[in-house]
Each structure stands twice: as structure tokens, then as C-alpha cells.
Amino acid sequence: MYNSYQEKSAPHFTPGDWHSYGKNLDSITNRITFTGNNVRQEAAQLRNSVTNTMSWKLKDTNQKLADRINEVDQWFRNLDRTLREVTDAIDRLSEAKQEVERNIAANLPFHEAAKEVLNLRDRRRDIDLVEDGAYHEVKKEVDLIHEINESLREASRHNWDHLVELKEQRDQLEADLKDKDLALKIDRFQLSLNPTATNIISLKPWPADACSAGECPVSLETWLQNCLDKRRDAEDAVAKATRATNDSWNMMRKSNNDVRHQRDATQFALRKRRHETLQERDSLAAQRKDLKDEIERLEREMQSIEQEMDISRGNLKLVQTRLENRKSRPRMELVRDHPTFGMEEELRHVVESREYLAQKLRDVKNMLNRTQQHLHEVEDDLQRKERSLAIETTCIELHERPSKSPYQTDIAWLAPMNTTSTSHYTNQSINRGTNQRIMDRHMNECMPRGAKLDPEYQLVD
């Protein structure tokens, strides 16, 4: 009979193996499930830990960024305030420097006027060319204004040096503030970023320690010390500029007071000298009048003596003729009688009188010559005094002129040189001389009446 069942060659397992295999799978499943649960718990813990850590790190970074922004902003405000102080110091110092230069320019007319007065007073002649009080005051004014202008120029140079230093500090502060402003914008923008800003943030191919590896070479201590140094240097420059500004204003006030007081003293000395010269001129004019009157009296006396001598000459002829004629008496009649004694006495008296008159005439002539010579000396000195008086009056006017108007156009050294009329006037001033014209006018005012045609009163340079 044909057997249709054929046993497979695959291994066969027993029921125990089957049950063991099922239990093994169950145990493996339980173990895997337990392990998976543990892994999931650990993953959840890790996720929570990473989330918390990243959140806290982000908050810490944001807080540090905010603190850094506050620190930079505080230094920005401090340096900005320092910059404003530097700018104000520059403005004040520039104003003081300009005022110093204006003072120098304002002193120039006074200085030129004083030198012109000295040069003009040197035109006095002979005994009138004295180093009087007015000379010393004018000389003192020239030296004082020169010293003041030199001091003001030195102060202007120092102010310029301080201005250069202040502008350097201003430029450095502006550059530093510009950098800090840019840094603040960058940090504020970084503070505004968050992990969800996917359209702004991106991965960068930088190492984790890129900033500490050379991208940020400045340490916080160096940055802070740089800020302190800039503020200290700027404050030192402002303090120096403030002292220079105060010194400049004090110097200008003192110099203006000194110049004003010295000019008042010079004016007083010039007016006093003019008054003395005027008194001396009047005294000489009175002396000249007295001398001329005395000359007239001496001339009249000479005429009287000459007339008396002419009269005595007739008496002399008469007595001599009588004596000569009486010698013609004959013999015994030729006696020395009383008429003879009288005639001889008369002759002796007439001769002595004529000798006395001749001697007195010589004395009167000598006195007349001495008086005329002294009159010439007085007139020469009077002419010098007239010239000196005109010079002193001109000096007073020249010295006062800058105070009345510092922009006079009728003095060559003060005239602006940009107009045709001024150039024409300057040529006239050079050809004739402004001071000479002023002297001529004052000479005409001070000269006595009727003396303009007298050659003795004509001044010759």
C-alpha cells in the first residue's frame, strides 16, 4: 500500500520549547519596554534640563547684554557730557582768544599815537627839548602798551595750544562716542533677537571659542581703563583751558585798566606841560613888551642926552669964545677978574658935564645894546615857546584822537587802504604830513596878532 505522508526535514520542537520561546519573548518584551520607558524618562529629563538650561542661559546672556548695554550707555552719557564740556570750553576759549586779539588790535592805535607823540615832541628845539614829565609818561605808555601786547600775544599763543589740545580731545571723544553708539545699536539689536527669529538668525561656521580666540582682543579692564583715561584727559584739558580762559580775561581787564590809567596820566602830563609852556609863553610875551618899552625909553633918553650935549656944546662954545675974546684986552686990563674966574668955573663945569653926559650916553647905549640883545633872546625863546606850544597842543590832540574814534581816517596809519579817496588822502598825508598841518593850524591860533608877517615867527624845520 502506498504511504502518502512524508515527514519534513525541518527540526521539530517540543511543546516545552514552544512555551519557553513564548516566555522568552515576553520577558524580552518586558525588558525592552522597561528599558524604553527608562530611555524615554531620561530623554524627557534631558529635554527638560536642556530646555531649562538653554532658557536660563538665554536669560543670563540677555541679562549680561542688558547690563553691558547699561554700562556702555552710562559711559556714553558720561563721555557725551564730557564732550559737551569740552565743546563749551572750546567756545569759551575761542571767544577769549578772539577778545585777546581784538584787545591787541585796539591797543595798536594807542601805541602808534604814543609813538607819534614822542616823534612829534622831538621836533622841539634847543632848551625846549627836555625830558620832562610828559616825556617820561609818554615813554612809559609806549613801553607799557608794548609789554601788554607782547603778553597778550603770548596768551593768544597759549590759548591756541589749548584749543588744539581741546580739539584733539573732542575728536577722540566723538570717535569713541561714535564707536559706543554703534556698539549700543549692535548689542540692543542682539538683545532683541530670540530663537524664533528664523528669518534673521542662522548657523555660522565659527568655532565655539571664536571670540576668545582673537576676534575680541580687548579685555574689559582695558576697555574700562580706556574710558577712564579719555574722561580724565578731557577733564584735564578742560581744566587747563578754563584756567587759560580766566587768565586771559583777567589779563585783559588788568591791561585795559593799566592802559586807561596810563593814558589818563599821560594826558594830565601833556596838559600840564602845555599849561606850563603857555604860562612861559605869556611870561615871555610880557617880557618882550617890557623890553620893547624899555628900549623905547632908552632911545628917548639917548635922544635927550644927545640934545643936552648939543645944548651944552653951545654953552661950551660960548664960554670958550668969551675967554678967547677977553684975552684981547690990552696991557693992564688983562686981569683975572671975577668974570674970568666965573668963566673958567663955567668952562670946567661945562666940560665935566659933557664928559658926564658922554659917559652916560655910552652907558645908555651899552644898556640899549644889552636890552636889544636880550630882546632877541627873549623873542627867540618866545618863538621856540610858540612852536613848543603848537607841538604840545598837537600832541594832546593826537593822543586823544584814538579814544574819540578808533577808526580815524585823517591819520595815515589808521586810514583803511581800500578806497580811492583814502588813498588820495594818504598821498596828501605823506606829501605834507598830517601832524604838520595840525601844527600849522595851532600855530595860527596861538600866534599873536600881527605876527604872521613877522619873519621872526616863521618856523623853519
Side-chain angles (χ1 to χ4, degrees), residues 406-426:
Y407 301 103
Q408 291 287 336
T409 57
D410 55 345
I411 298 180
W413 46 266
L414 286 178
M417 307 302 292
N418 56 355
T419 60
T420 304
S421 59
T422 303
S423 300
H424 177 67
Y425 175 80
T426 304

Side-chain angles (χ1 to χ4, degrees), residues 21 33 96 132 168 184 216 228 243 245 248 304 352 359 364 381 415 443:
Y21 181 76
T33 303
D132 48 11
E168 289 178 356
L184 284 173
C216 299
L228 291 172
R243 286 194 297 270
T245 302
S248 297
S304 299
E352 290 178 356
Q359 181 63 37
V364 171
D381 194 44
M443 281 295 298

Side-chain angles (χ1 to χ4, degrees), residues 41-105:
Q41 292 296 328
E42 291 176 358
Q45 291 178 0
L46 180 60
R47 282 188 299 104
N48 292 333
S49 176
V50 169
T51 301
N52 292 333
T53 302
M54 291 179 62
S55 176
W56 281 109
K57 289 295 182 182
L58 180 60
K59 289 182 179 180
D60 183 62
T61 302
N62 289 340
Q63 185 62 41
K64 289 181 179 179
L65 268 176
D67 293 341
R68 179 60 180 170
I69 289 172
N70 290 333
E71 183 180 13
V72 175
D73 184 64
Q74 182 178 0
W75 272 108
F76 181 87
R77 291 194 299 270
N78 291 337
L79 293 180
D80 184 64
R81 182 172 60 252
T82 305
L83 177 61
R84 290 195 298 270
E85 293 176 357
V86 170
T87 304
D88 293 340
I90 289 175
D91 295 338
R92 292 193 300 269
L93 189 57
S94 299
E95 182 182 1
K97 182 177 180 297
Q98 293 176 0
E99 191 64 27
V100 167
E101 293 172 353
R102 282 194 291 268
N103 271 263
I104 294 174

Side-chain angles (χ1 to χ4, degrees), residues 14 40 51 104 109 115 132 135-136 163 172 180 198 226 242 254 291 308 324 409 415 457:
T14 64
R40 284 186 296 103
T51 301
I104 294 174
K115 291 194 297 184
D132 48 11
Y135 169 81
H136 293 295
L163 277 175
Q172 293 179 6
K180 282 180 171 52
T198 56
N226 179 66
T242 302
K254 183 178 182 302
L291 289 173
E308 188 64 29
E324 184 66 24
T409 57
Y457 285 91

Side-chain angles (χ1 to χ4, degrees), residues 156-169:
S156 180
R157 287 191 289 269
H158 288 167
N159 291 343
W160 174 255
D161 295 337
H162 290 303
L163 277 175
V164 171
E165 183 180 2
L166 283 174
K167 289 179 180 179
E168 289 178 356
Q169 294 297 327

Side-chain angles (χ1 to χ4, degrees), residues 125-130 273 381 384-385:
R125 294 176 178 174
D126 302 333
I127 193 62
D128 283 354
L129 188 60
V130 295
R273 184 59 181 173
D381 194 44
R384 284 193 296 269
K385 292 299 183 291

